[in-house]
Amino acid sequence: MVAEKHKKETQPSLIEYARDALIHERKRKKQIYEDLLIPTSLRLNEVERYHIIKIFEHITIAAENEIRLYLVDLLEDDAPLSVIMLLNDPTKHLTLEWLSDSILLRDQTFVAMLIRRMRTSFLQKNCHKKQYHKSPKNSDIIDSLIGQMDADIALSAMVLLIAESRQISHLNNPILSRTDLSAELQYKLLWWVAACLRSCLLEAQLSEEQVDRALSKAVRQALTQYDEGSTLEARALKLARHLHKYRKLSDEFILQSAMDGHTALMVAALAIRSGVNHHYIWDIVLNEDESPLLLLLKAIGMPRQMAASLAFQLTGHSLDNHQIAEKVKAFEALSQSDADKALALWRLDECYRESICEIENRYKTAREKKAYIASPDFFQQDCL
């Protein structure tokens, strides 16, 4: 009887249902309004959006599973059996319901990683399709490096291949390994997942002090297992440095790396050859307009035909023939020394460069506003 009475008292009324529905409708209208303001050229298509969300889901589940493993050991003597069973249940993903509210999706650096993984997966799929038409005599470039006599190159190539294999699920879908995040993003991801798990554990009648103590220890244990030197990018840079030492980072090597789908290795090679930070090289390589990439390739002295082939491969053939011809003509007209001088801003520290661009844009806006106010047309307007 008591249970029945409690059930009746806690059951939402029609008034609460109506209030929730109206709140949801207000939120929906606000989101639609913001969505309509996004220009088509800046909008994700449905395929891109699907892959980005799936990549995010996978990485949060991986982080959650790791924290839950530590929590089982930390709580098994104090927590109810139902909590231990929940933490041990691989079919329950406790953080997924919080995905849409995640602060990580408002972090530009984290979102940039998701976009990068999505776009590189499309490049890799295109490369794999072309492998069927590839001559058997031309082996994959990583396989060739693993067979090198030099132990540094062979070992670095093998660990890079292992890191690349972590980026594909057993269903052949693109994923982002948690260990491929930077230290800062790794830190944010684990603590956000811990906050999601906190809500679930508090619902199981555990005390706040007990939950916070266990989660803090679990996250710290997970962080101790992280090694930024084992990320895909770090391994690609290490291999590229070994190859540069033996003068093997040729134009042909860079082109073949792209054609074989080893985008991280190609980015590392371009970073070392050009002196531009590899984080910025990713923005250049994955840009749908190949102009920045062609400028970079001109600066490192890559021949026209090879540069055009590389740019055509990486942009996914998004430009028509006339646009490509115009860009290639501009490539030929520019000297290598002028192209190299143009990279001076790109070689600066990332934060410094972005601050310069932001301030320049503000100065430009202020100058345009000042010039508009000072123009004769402005004073001739009938303000009344």
Side-chain angles (χ1 to χ4, degrees):
M1 289 292 292
V2 175
E4 248 181 67
K5 183 181 178 183
H6 177 71
K7 187 176 179 182
K8 286 178 182 177
E9 288 176 353
T10 58
Q11 186 176 357
S13 69
L14 182 58
I15 295 172
E16 290 172 322
Y17 281 131
R19 187 186 300 117
D20 291 343
L22 291 172
I23 291 171
H24 174 75
E25 185 61 21
R26 281 198 298 272
K27 287 182 179 179
R28 184 169 176 271
K29 284 180 179 178
K30 182 181 177 182
Q31 291 298 322
I32 290 172
Y33 165 74
E34 291 174 354
D35 187 58
L36 289 172
L37 295 178
I38 302 173
T40 305
S41 59
L42 301 179
R43 190 184 298 274
L44 291 171
N45 62 43
E46 287 304 315
V47 174
E48 291 172 332
R49 180 181 172 80
Y50 170 81
H51 281 294
I52 286 174
I53 294 300
K54 285 299 176 184
I55 292 168
F56 184 38
E57 285 181 4
H58 184 277
I59 198 171
T60 53
I61 289 171
E64 177 188 325
N65 288 342
E66 185 170 0
I67 293 175
R68 282 165 62 173
L69 283 175
Y70 291 119
L71 282 176
V72 169
D73 291 335
L74 293 168
L75 294 173
E76 63 180 349
D77 294 332
D78 303 315
L81 181 60
S82 58
V83 174
I84 303 302
M85 290 177 65
L86 177 66
L87 293 173
N88 274 318
D89 188 349
T91 64
K92 301 287 186 183
H93 303 308
L94 307 177
T95 57
L96 291 186
E97 63 178 296
W98 304 96
L99 283 181
S100 60
D101 297 321
S102 172
I103 57 170
L104 293 169
L105 290 180
R106 294 164 181 79
D107 186 300
Q108 290 188 9
T109 308
F110 187 80
V111 172
M113 284 291 293
L114 298 178
I115 294 171
R116 180 192 302 176
R117 182 66 200 102
M118 177 268 296
R119 289 182 177 168
T120 52
S121 73
F122 292 159
L123 289 177
Q124 288 164 343
K125 285 179 180 178
N126 289 335
C127 292
H128 292 155
K129 288 176 183 177
K130 293 174 183 177
Q131 296 295 325
Y132 293 108
H133 307 290
K134 192 175 180 179
S135 169
K137 295 180 182 178
N138 299 325
S139 61
D140 184 272
I141 197 166
I142 294 292
D143 293 336
S144 301
L145 293 174
I146 290 172
Q148 292 280 323
M149 294 295 290
D150 186 275
D152 288 340
I153 292 177
L155 182 59
S156 297
M158 178 60 78
V159 296
L160 176 62
L161 189 63
I162 293 169
E164 286 183 339
S165 68
R166 296 193 308 234
Q167 303 250 324
I168 301 294
S169 72
H170 65 284
L171 297 174
N172 206 33
N173 293 321
I175 57 176
L176 180 62
S177 174
R178 186 179 66 74
T179 53
D180 284 330
L181 292 176
S182 66
E184 182 184 1
L185 294 180
Q186 180 86 205
Y187 189 86
K188 288 181 179 180
L189 173 66
L190 288 171
W191 284 115
W192 177 75
V193 169
C196 295
L197 291 173
R198 183 183 193 269
S199 301
C200 299
L201 293 174
L202 289 177
E203 286 180 3
Q205 305 305 312
L206 294 175
S207 69
E208 288 191 8
E209 183 183 357
Q210 184 183 11
V211 169
D212 290 336
R213 185 171 59 248
L215 282 170
S216 298
K217 193 168 183 178
V219 170
R220 292 192 184 99
Q221 286 176 329
L223 286 170
T224 59
Q225 304 301 315
Y226 174 69
D227 178 12
E228 201 162 7
S230 68
T231 64
L232 175 64
E233 288 186 359
R235 293 183 179 191
L237 284 167
K238 185 176 181 180
L239 175 56
R241 289 190 187 104
H242 284 312
L243 292 166
H244 185 60
K245 184 171 65 173
Y246 292 101
R247 300 180 182 277
K248 293 186 177 182
L249 284 186
S250 63
D251 297 331
E252 292 80 5
F253 175 87
I254 292 173
L255 179 59
Q256 191 183 347
S257 297
M259 295 297 183
D260 290 345
H262 302 293
T263 313
L265 179 57
M266 180 207 62
V267 166
L270 287 173
I272 291 172
R273 284 276 301 271
S274 66
V276 177
N277 185 283
H278 70 281
H279 292 300
Y280 198 52
I281 296 285
W282 276 108
D283 291 339
I284 293 168
V285 164
L286 298 178
N287 197 312
E288 292 182 354
D289 187 328
E290 72 262 28
S291 304
L293 177 61
L294 285 172
L295 177 59
L296 182 77
L297 298 179
K298 185 69 177 185
I300 66 173
M302 185 175 284
R304 178 185 62 83
Q305 189 62 41
M306 204 174 290
S309 298
L310 181 57
F312 196 63
Q313 167 74 14
L314 295 175
T315 53
H317 321 298
S318 59
L319 301 180
D320 59 39
N321 292 333
H322 175 70
Q323 290 174 310
I324 293 169
E326 288 296 317
K327 299 291 172 64
V328 172
K329 190 185 295 183
F331 178 91
E332 289 179 316
L334 185 68
S335 69
Q336 184 179 348
S337 61
D338 286 341
D340 187 67
K341 288 177 184 176
L343 300 191
L345 185 63
W346 298 1
R347 292 186 175 116
L348 297 175
D349 181 86
E350 185 176 3
C351 291
Y352 184 41
R353 184 183 63 249
E354 288 182 356
S355 298
I356 289 172
C357 293
E358 179 66 25
I359 290 170
E360 281 186 349
N361 287 336
R362 291 192 180 185
Y363 268 120
K364 183 181 177 183
T365 303
R367 283 196 300 268
E368 288 174 351
K369 186 177 180 181
K370 189 176 180 180
Y372 174 70
I373 292 173
S375 67
D377 291 342
F378 177 82
F379 293 105
Q380 289 171 9
Q381 292 178 31
D382 184 1
C383 297
L384 299 176

